[in-house]
Amino acid sequence: MSISLEKGQRISLEKNGQQLNKVCVGVNWGAIEKKGLFGGIKKIAVDLDASVSLYSASKDLQDLIYFGQLKSKDGSIVHSGDDTTGDLDGDDGLDNEVITVNLAQVPANVNFVAIILNSYKGQDFATIPFASVRLYEGTPTRVDQVVASYNIANDAKFSGAVSMVLGSFYRHNGAWKFKAIGEPTQDKKLEQLVKTVASSYL
C-alpha cells in the first residue's frame, strides 16, 4: 500500500488480498511564533480540530466525531482528544490529534466517512508551522504505512483557508474504498464544513 495519492484518486483498501479495516487519521502542527515588543519570541497557541463526519447513501449526516464527541455512537471511530495549543517547542514528530477508524464496525446505514480539518480560532493554515494531515495504517502510536498525506503549511493552495477535506471512505460493491480530496474550503465553522462535504465532496 505504498501509494502516493493524487487529488481525486480512488483506491481499494486492500493489503495482501485482505480488506484493510483499521486506519488512523493523524494531524500535526506547531504554535505560531511572532517577535515580541522587546525582541523576544512570542508563541501563539494554535487549535486545529480533526473530525470525521458520517453520511448515509443519500448524504444525510448520521454522526460526527470531533472534540465535543470523541467516540461514534457505535464505537467504530475514536478520537484521541482535543489539542488546543500545537507543539510549543518545535516539531516532536508526533501527531497532535489521532482518530482511529474501524471500517468493519461502521454501521450499515453509513455509506460515506469523511475526514475533515478546521482551524478553531480561524488561524490561516499558511501561518501554522508544519501543519499536516495524513491517513495511515497503524495505531495512534505507530505508523506502519502512510496512505495519503497533505503538507498544509507549505502548499500554496491552503493559504487563506481555515478548513479542508482530506478525503472520504465510501462503500462500493460491499467493500470500502478511499477517495483522496485534499481541498481547502471557504467554511469558517465546523458546522458549515460538514454541510459543504455533503453537497460537494461525496
Side-chain angles (χ1 to χ4, degrees), residues 8-175:
Q9 186 174 345
R10 298 168 186 262
I11 64 163
S12 60
L13 294 170
E14 287 191 355
K15 184 178 182 183
N16 301 324
Q18 299 291 318
Q19 173 86 39
L20 179 63
N21 287 316
K22 201 164 188 179
V23 291
C24 293
V25 180
V27 185
N28 185 32
W29 72 92
I32 296 171
E33 294 188 351
K34 286 193 174 181
K35 289 184 178 179
L37 290 175
F38 303 104
I41 297 296
K42 180 183 179 183
K43 294 187 178 181
I44 301 170
V46 174
D47 185 359
L48 293 185
D49 289 324
S51 307
V52 173
S53 46
L54 282 59
Y55 305 86
S56 67
S58 56
K59 302 180 182 179
D60 294 315
L61 184 67
Q62 302 297 303
D63 204 353
L64 178 64
I65 298 83
Y66 69 113
F67 65 87
Q69 179 184 310
L70 299 179
K71 186 181 289 189
S72 60
K73 299 167 187 173
D74 53 87
S76 63
I77 301 173
V78 180
H79 194 302
S80 63
D82 191 16
D83 185 314
T84 60
T85 63
D87 292 341
L88 295 172
D89 297 314
D91 190 358
D92 60 8
L94 303 174
D95 290 319
N96 297 70
E97 293 185 10
V98 179
I99 300 177
T100 305
V101 182
N102 190 334
L103 292 166
Q105 294 181 3
V106 172
N109 66 317
V110 173
N111 279 61
F112 301 96
V113 178
I115 301 165
I116 53 183
L117 180 70
N118 71 294
S119 175
Y120 183 77
K121 298 177 182 176
Q123 291 158 312
D124 185 338
F125 281 150
T127 67
I128 302 171
F130 55 87
S132 63
V133 57
R134 60 185 176 175
L135 171 69
Y136 66 89
E137 177 192 357
T139 71
T141 57
R142 188 191 75 246
V143 178
D144 294 335
Q145 181 66 59
V146 176
V147 179
S149 63
Y150 298 99
N151 190 331
I152 298 169
N154 292 332
D155 192 330
K157 74 178 178 183
F158 294 108
S159 180
V162 298
S163 61
M164 64 90 70
V165 186
L166 186 148
S168 69
F169 301 98
Y170 62 99
R171 292 188 196 268
H172 181 73
N173 293 334

